[in-house]
Amino acid sequence: MRLSRGYLFLTKLSVFALSAVLIIGLVSCGGKTKSAATGGNGEKIVLRLAEAQPDNYPDTIAEKAFAQMVKERTNGRIEIQVYAGGQLGDEKTTIEQAQVGAIDIGRANSGPMTQVEKKFGIFSFPFLFKDRDHLWRVLDGEVGNQLLKSLEAHNMVGLAFYDTGARNFYTTKPVRTLADLKGMKIRVMQNDILVKAFNLLGASATPLSAAEVYSALQTGVIDGGENNFSTYVSDGHYEVAKYYTLSGHLRIPQVLFMSKASWDKLSPEDQQIIKQAAKDSEKVQIQEYDKFEKMSEDKVKAKGNQIIALPDQELQAFRDKEQPLYDEYKAEFGDFFTKIAAAAK
């Protein structure tokens, strides 16, 4: 299931223009149905949810399930309309619109969330989680609740987390050991922590925008990148980087959130219904993501690419190399490091 490259190359200008037109149209719509900003007294409430991914993506499927749950649990009184495919803007735009109340609900990766709340930078540290179960123990526990709660200071309410799988290395020549990574130019997100992290592994961290990666792999400007199975396939990088090493170095969850302006207009009972339905939608998203990732993995195997598993001893060598990074950021993230490590036991 490959997303079209045309979709991925939408210009920021066109997204912003389309977003503005749709928001104006939605806000100006008349009729008896009211938004959260004006709903009350038993009148029907309509909430707008912005999603950058297309209709058939796991996140969108989960959000539609969330909307259905809310509808059923309020006997149709609250309707959540899901606008998928970036109709209301990209993730960064969605965050900004939620902060000012232009949209009611949105979803964004933890990466862009760091622009409004630095605590989400905790997910930039490689090998922070032993596995997926460890991640979800953290997200369902004190740390996850603290992160969601932190958004209230930025005019948003955190509702739930969604999964994005594990990020692994993909390269134009095989990486079977830490030594193999030495000197390789690896594309990283434009994030200071990640640049330091990959340099500590002996690679030459190369920040590039996502749009530049395919051609950079083709021309040898970089030797590889890192991402989950589904993005490795949907961005077409599996066509030009034939080796996929299961390092599992990053697990970066997504956040489902609501505009605090919209939230504050709801009754406590409705707030609880929405929060519980959002939490329940996590299970749907995880199931859909697993199916989506399995299809991507099957495509990689059908293409003849090599999927390389690392033995535990080699993975530990990768983890050990990152200790100086944890030492450097201990003052800022040390409390999180301690709580997350405790959740692994």
Side-chain angles (χ1 to χ4, degrees):
M1 187 180 297
R2 178 173 169 181
L3 305 180
S4 69
R5 231 172 266 147
Y7 167 77
L8 296 169
F9 280 85
L10 280 173
T11 66
K12 185 179 290 187
L13 179 60
S14 64
V15 171
F16 270 59
L18 181 56
S19 170
V21 169
L22 283 164
I23 291 168
I24 291 169
L26 288 164
V27 170
S28 63
C29 285
K32 296 180 180 179
T33 299
K34 298 187 178 184
S35 71
T38 57
N41 301 320
E43 295 180 4
K44 184 172 181 179
I45 297 171
V46 175
L47 303 173
R48 301 179 305 280
L49 189 157
E51 174 53 65
Q53 297 288 2
D55 274 325
N56 59 358
Y57 200 77
D59 302 347
T60 315
I61 294 170
E63 288 155 357
K64 289 181 177 180
F66 162 53
Q68 184 62 30
M69 284 185 252
V70 170
K71 184 177 181 179
E72 290 173 356
R73 294 171 191 182
T74 61
N75 296 315
R77 185 171 46 80
I78 299 180
E79 179 186 353
I80 297 175
Q81 298 175 345
V82 179
Y83 290 86
Q87 294 180 67
L88 301 183
D90 59 13
E91 291 184 16
K92 181 176 182 294
T93 309
T94 297
I95 295 169
E96 293 168 350
Q97 291 173 358
Q99 286 184 288
V100 299
I103 62 168
D104 302 301
I105 304 171
R107 190 277 318 156
N109 187 276
S110 292
M113 295 300 290
T114 61
Q115 297 171 25
V116 295
E117 177 47 69
K118 291 183 179 180
K119 290 185 179 73
F120 282 88
I122 186 64
F123 298 113
S124 296
F125 289 87
F127 305 104
L128 185 66
F129 303 104
K130 287 177 61 177
D131 51 30
R132 189 192 218 178
D133 287 342
H134 182 199
L135 168 71
W136 278 100
R137 281 196 297 275
V138 170
L139 296 182
D140 288 336
E142 182 183 352
V143 171
N145 290 333
Q146 187 175 344
L147 288 168
L148 293 178
K149 184 72 174 175
S150 71
L151 294 178
E152 292 184 19
H154 307 286
N155 298 318
M156 295 186 288
V157 175
L159 298 176
F161 290 102
Y162 284 171
D163 208 325
T164 59
R167 295 175 75 104
N168 303 289
F169 290 109
Y170 54 86
T171 50
T172 54
K173 52 188 177 182
V175 172
R176 295 188 172 89
T177 67
L178 180 62
D180 291 337
L181 201 60
K182 187 174 179 59
M184 292 183 73
K185 298 184 292 294
I186 302 295
R187 180 264 173 177
V188 300
M189 293 180 283
Q190 295 171 331
N191 175 310
D192 290 342
I193 295 174
L194 290 178
V195 170
K196 292 176 183 178
F198 291 164
N199 284 340
L200 282 171
L201 294 176
S204 176
T206 308
L208 286 175
S209 70
E212 298 176 273
V213 178
Y214 190 96
S215 61
L217 286 166
Q218 267 188 322
T219 57
V221 171
I222 58 174
D223 302 305
E226 54 84 42
N227 219 313
N228 53 36
F229 259 116
S230 56
T231 305
Y232 175 49
V233 172
S234 64
D235 285 358
H237 299 165
Y238 78 123
E239 298 169 352
V240 285
K242 303 290 188 179
Y243 301 95
Y244 193 80
T245 301
L246 300 176
S247 53
H249 53 271
L250 285 173
R251 293 181 180 272
I252 306 178
Q254 305 184 85
V255 185
L256 189 68
F257 53 85
M258 187 167 181
S259 167
K260 195 167 188 304
S262 300
W263 176 263
D264 288 344
K265 295 296 181 180
L266 298 172
S267 70
E269 293 78 14
D270 286 345
Q271 290 174 351
Q272 181 56 36
I273 288 170
I274 286 175
K275 184 160 280 191
Q276 186 59 53
K279 187 68 180 173
D280 292 344
S281 76
E282 289 178 346
K283 299 180 183 68
V284 177
Q285 195 272 344
I286 290 169
Q287 291 171 354
E288 292 297 326
Y289 185 82
D290 284 350
K291 290 190 289 186
F292 190 75
E293 188 169 56
K294 180 64 167 60
M295 286 190 291
S296 299
E297 183 178 352
D298 289 345
K299 267 194 173 183
V300 171
K301 291 177 178 177
K303 186 75 172 175
N305 292 15
Q306 286 191 34
I307 299 174
I308 302 168
L310 295 175
D312 290 343
Q313 184 177 356
E314 198 60 41
L315 276 172
Q316 189 58 50
F318 277 73
R319 293 189 188 100
D320 291 343
K321 281 290 185 179
E322 298 295 2
Q323 188 56 49
L325 185 71
Y326 283 80
D327 294 339
E328 179 181 350
Y329 286 90
K330 186 176 181 179
E332 185 174 355
F333 292 102
D335 185 49
F336 278 162
F337 293 156
T338 300
K339 291 174 180 175
I340 290 171
K345 298 174 183 176

